[in-house]
Amino acid sequence: QVQLTESGGGSVQAGGSLRLSCEASGDTDSITVMAWFRQSPGKEREGVAVIAVVPGTTRYADSVKGRFAVSRDNAKSTVYLQMNQLQSEDTAMYYCATGGGRVLGLDAARYNAWGQGTQVTVSV
C-alpha cells in the first residue's frame, strides 16, 4: 500500500557529491522509518542509512559515516540521502525502503516497501 519512487542517481567522479530523493505515496501514515540500501553486482544488499519519521533520529552504516547524511521532509513524504566524498566503492543501485517498526534497523528484512532503485556510478 506504500509506493516509493527514487530519483537523483547518476554518474560522478570520485570525491564528488550526489543527492538522492525518495517520495512515498499511498498509505504514508503507516511509515515510521525510511531507509536507504544499496546493492552492487555480486554483493548482498547493504543497509546504508535510516531515519525515523518522528523524531528524525538517524543511523548509518560504518562505511558511510561522516560522508552521507539522511534527512526527511515529512510534509512531502520524502526522504533524502546526501552523499559526499563519493568513492568507487559507493557504486551501486540505491534503493529506498520504508517500514512500520520502531527500530532503526539496517537489515532489509525489517522493511516491507521498496522502490525500484536508482543507479549511482562513481568513476575513479
Side-chain angles (χ1 to χ4, degrees), residues 35-76:
W36 288 97
F37 289 78
R38 65 186 182 186
Q39 187 168 26
S40 57
K43 297 183 179 180
E44 66 179 358
R45 190 162 297 188
E46 174 190 24
V48 175
V50 58
I51 185 169
V53 173
V54 178
T57 312
T58 60
R59 180 184 177 187
Y60 299 91
D62 289 341
S63 59
V64 306
K65 285 182 179 178
R67 299 189 298 121
F68 291 10
V70 63
S71 61
R72 86 283 193 239
D73 184 336
N74 290 341
K76 297 181 178 180

Side-chain angles (χ1 to χ4, degrees), residues 9-108:
S11 299
V12 297
Q13 293 188 358
S17 298
L18 206 60
R19 188 172 85 149
L20 307 182
S21 299
C22 172
E23 182 178 7
S25 59
D27 188 17
T28 57
D29 289 341
S30 68
I31 301 172
T32 58
V33 293
M34 306 184 77
W36 288 97
F37 289 78
R38 65 186 182 186
Q39 187 168 26
S40 57
K43 297 183 179 180
E44 66 179 358
R45 190 162 297 188
E46 174 190 24
V48 175
V50 58
I51 185 169
V53 173
V54 178
T57 312
T58 60
R59 180 184 177 187
Y60 299 91
D62 289 341
S63 59
V64 306
K65 285 182 179 178
R67 299 189 298 121
F68 291 10
V70 63
S71 61
R72 86 283 193 239
D73 184 336
N74 290 341
K76 297 181 178 180
S77 297
T78 299
V79 62
Y80 306 94
L81 184 66
Q82 179 66 46
M83 304 184 293
N84 301 318
Q85 302 172 29
L86 285 163
Q87 303 298 320
S88 60
E89 293 79 12
D90 297 315
T91 294
M93 183 73 75
Y94 283 71
Y95 299 90
C96 177
T98 63
R102 300 180 180 181
V103 178
L104 291 176
L106 292 173
D107 52 316

